[in-house]
Amino acid sequence: MANLIIQVIDASDLMPKDGQGSANPFVEVNFDGHRQRTQTKTRDLHPAWNETLVFNVQDPKTLQFSTIDVTVYNDRNPDHHKNFLGRVRISGSSVPSSEIEAHVQRYPLDKRGLFSNIRGDIALKIHAVHGHYFSNPPPPQQVPEHSDKRKKHKQKQKEVRTFFSVSRGGPGPAGPTPVTVESKTGFMRAGPAASMMHMQFPGQKPPPNFGLVETRPPLAARMGYCGTDKTATTYDLVERMHFLYVNVVKARELPAMDITGSLDPYVEVKLGNYKGVTRHYEKNQSPVWNQVFAFSKDRLQSTVLELVVKDKDLLTKDDFVGKIRFDIVDVPTRVPPDSPLAPQWYRLEDKNGVKVRGEIMVAVWMGTQADEAFPGAWHSDAHGISHNNLANTRSNVYFSPKLYYLRIHVIQAQDLIPADRTRVPEFYVKINLGNQLRCTGISQLRSLSPSWKEELLFIASESFDEFVVISVEDRLGPGKVVCVGRVVVPVRSIPQRIDSTLETSWFDPGKPSHWEEEGEKKKEMKFASKIHLMLCLDGGYHVLDEATHFSSDLQPSSKHLRKRSIGILELGILSAQNLLPMKIREGRLTDAYCVAKYGNKWVRTRTLLNTLTPRWNEQYTWEVYDPCTVITVGVFDNCHINEKDESRDQRIGKVRIRLSTLETNRIYTHYYPLLVLQPSGLKKHGELHLAIRFTCLAWVNMVAQYGRPLLPKMHYVQPISVKYIDWLRQQAIQIVGTRLSRAEPPLKRENVEYMLDVDYHMWSLRRSKANFLRIMSLLSGMTAVFRWLDGICMWRNPVTTILVHILFFILVCYPELILPTVFLYLFVIGLWNYRFRPRNPPHMDARISQAEMAHPDELDEEFDSFPTSRPTEIVRMRYDRMRSVAGRVQTVVGDMASQGERAMALLSWRDSRATSIFIMIALVWAVFLYVTLFQVVVALFGVYWLRHPRFRNRMPSVPVNFFKRLPSKSEMLL
């Protein structure tokens, strides 16, 4: 006696079936004639059930020959009908015999037939328990009847409702938690109560929501434009935020406050509890500040704005010089594109309101985040930040340097002078460009005129202010190398190549340096050493600093080869919510800012300090040259606001959106989950609220773009070797990170590495599983076709089989209809699938990435350094695990090779009898096909293939038996 335990965890990315872009899914499990189902989740394409179904197994020995059918349906109440959403068939031989061996697995949902439109997967945990499975359920309770319709339906269907409440590790709550199991006549066979039991664990925490949430914020683009709103046409993807702007320009004729007859002036801008301070100037009675302060209108704590001019003292309290006051009600409102408000001179007053000596030039106005002064302004939420770190909190725009591939073809050298004339020289060439170092191999021609004919690639960036150092070296022994010549070439002098060939050049490597160290006198030589090189900057390539799968720019380096833009991408970074506190140890919450990257343009929003719900409401625009590109938006925690330059900004999460999945001129507003994979597991750090719109300006060019190569022409005419791609990409990331980190304020290297996925090429068992499941999901369509064909051949549905016979004979008689029928079928399927098209843009999916169920050891291996820094025992365990996986792959590859070798053995006479039989059969078929019409042959084959199961035999066919008996080379392996 045993029990089969099936835990239905959740499902993801189900197909909407209710006509409103959603579904009401439930799971039905069929095992050994018994059926059970879960509860229905209303309007949820990513349902989480966390229910356990228990089935009785009378004979445990028969479990391995049984099949578990798990089907997901859409509940169409009150009609009591259901739509098919997908199914999974699991062999009983794969069920673990204990709960310790069981673990959660995700299964892609399969189609029921050829015309099924299915997607998504389901997470299950299945294991067997030998003996009786006790759950200590409370006694059943009767369900109250609330209506006469319910009574009639109950009498017709004979519903049986059972209530169970099960908790882990102790007694349950005061009231039992009811879980309903409905059993209809013919739906579930009679059996023990344990076989109809559902279990829920009330103490279990529900999984976090990793899906998108559509929103409807009050954006100007959706609400319509008003005549007075001039910013709506350019700043319409964000919510308008009003600010009080104060522009402190300069002062003049300030009175002397020090004994020396001068003063060190600065200005305090006070509004309630908020206080901003300008820089102070030493011994200057006419200072110029040109600083802008911005106070959020939502946080105004006073109706009076006060500007106080003070004299800074080192030892005593700062002296009061004068002040001016503004009433907030009287402040004018400015709306771009109006011209900036002109600043005016104001006479200073003392504490009693009496005019004193000195004037200050100030401009005060009400504006929005569309104001030109917004990016460089000091914001009221940044009070307490020093002037040195204030720039790290402002919004900025950056541009990546233009990168080129530098190609150096080392051909040969002549008349080299070795360091030791008594030995055979071993010459090779070493080339340096900045931090990039590449070497050729040792010349096979061991003479004074060696030849290499090797091509090396480097990354060069504008403005080409570096030098290429080419050294010819002679290897005397292990660890002992002598330079016999050197050439220094400025990158600026290297010619650019677009698609034409360039001429080679001879360079003088100069006199070896070790001669001068020995003090040998310089002599005029009749013959000088030469080295033959070809150098060029390839402008016809696109330098890959991102992975090709989610690249944001595919344009060539040369501006002469770039095409015109096809549209505009507008991104509104609205807000974030439910952020996790990243600075608990410092007594703070989170100082969040966003970085967005598309093409060579990077943008960084301002940092909002000490909040878990930041509201940026900043909008940015990019030109689009290719719709098949991806924009990346990352969120970071600023760790450079308290003089901690050595710390790194922490990652909060990032979002990728492919432009080709967006409808033109449509505004998408969603909350995107911010997911970060850490060694401790997957964590959700909050949600990012984005508004995005793709506007096409040239429809013809955009449609034509789909027929053009993804990369520039030179990538196909003269492709770069795969072994160099990853190395060159890493060099490009380092150059971009170094250049952007030298900007002011800098875009940190950790920002660049995270946005460009610097570790994407590293080995990850989790990614390997995810890619394998992606392949299995693709093959599920082919599996559904074969199952449908098998059902036709087995006459499971006689009507369908007869219709297929009719269609088959029509196509045999009229073969010219085959291709039109195929393309018409594709057209109809495409139109049918239009109803189920995705309504939301794609996002980073935790389930597809296999990040939710990743094992801790797999994550530890993924985050391990290269080379590894783990103890020997862990490395040995991982090596053994990889050997076991590689052994399975080796077996599969060997089987594939055996099948191919058997096919080759048909005519190779390795098995003379088999080859003789095959060629005789081939001769008979040749004569038969020559004297018989092709349509007749096809018709006979179709009739034989679609024959009734009564005329079928379960034994393998004669051709299959003959093929499996052919020899392969597997027995020749050691």
Side-chain angles (χ1 to χ4, degrees), residues 379-396:
H379 290 269
S380 56
D381 58 358
H383 63 279
I385 305 300
S386 63
H387 287 288
N388 296 332
N389 294 320
L390 187 60
N392 290 325
T393 65
R394 293 173 176 168
S395 56
N396 289 278

Side-chain angles (χ1 to χ4, degrees), residues 267-429:
V267 179
E268 280 186 358
V269 183
K270 299 170 62 176
L271 183 63
N273 293 330
Y274 292 111
K275 181 176 68 174
V277 181
T278 67
R279 297 180 299 271
H280 79 278
Y281 291 94
E282 296 183 358
K283 299 181 180 181
N284 192 338
Q285 292 180 282
S286 299
V288 178
W289 290 287
N290 284 321
Q291 286 186 243
V292 181
F293 299 84
F295 299 88
S296 176
K297 186 177 179 181
D298 298 335
R299 299 182 180 181
L300 294 182
Q301 301 175 348
S302 176
T303 59
V304 176
L305 173 68
E306 191 173 66
L307 282 75
V308 182
V309 182
K310 292 187 176 181
D311 174 33
K312 188 173 185 61
D313 290 331
L314 297 178
L315 301 179
T316 61
K317 183 179 179 180
D318 295 346
D319 298 328
F320 175 85
V321 178
K323 67 177 182 179
I324 57 175
R325 296 163 61 92
F326 293 92
D327 194 345
I328 303 299
V329 180
D330 299 331
V331 172
T333 300
R334 173 181 177 263
V335 179
D338 290 349
S339 299
L341 193 66
Q344 299 180 16
W345 288 102
Y346 295 90
R347 175 73 65 178
L348 296 179
E349 302 175 352
D350 61 10
K351 296 180 180 180
N352 298 323
V354 180
K355 301 293 183 180
V356 296
R357 180 186 174 187
E359 290 180 314
I360 183 172
M361 180 179 283
V362 177
V364 181
W365 72 95
M366 280 288 183
T368 64
Q369 69 268 43
D371 203 292
E372 296 86 350
F374 178 81
W378 174 96
H379 290 269
S380 56
D381 58 358
H383 63 279
I385 305 300
S386 63
H387 287 288
N388 296 332
N389 294 320
L390 187 60
N392 290 325
T393 65
R394 293 173 176 168
S395 56
N396 289 278
V397 177
Y398 306 85
F399 285 91
S400 300
K402 188 180 294 184
L403 303 179
Y404 289 80
Y405 284 131
L406 172 59
R407 188 184 300 270
I408 301 179
H409 191 187
V410 183
I411 304 174
Q412 62 179 346
Q414 290 184 358
D415 301 328
L416 295 179
I417 302 176
D420 186 359
R421 300 176 183 271
T422 61
R423 53 177 293 278
V424 178
E426 298 181 4
F427 293 119
Y428 69 94
V429 177

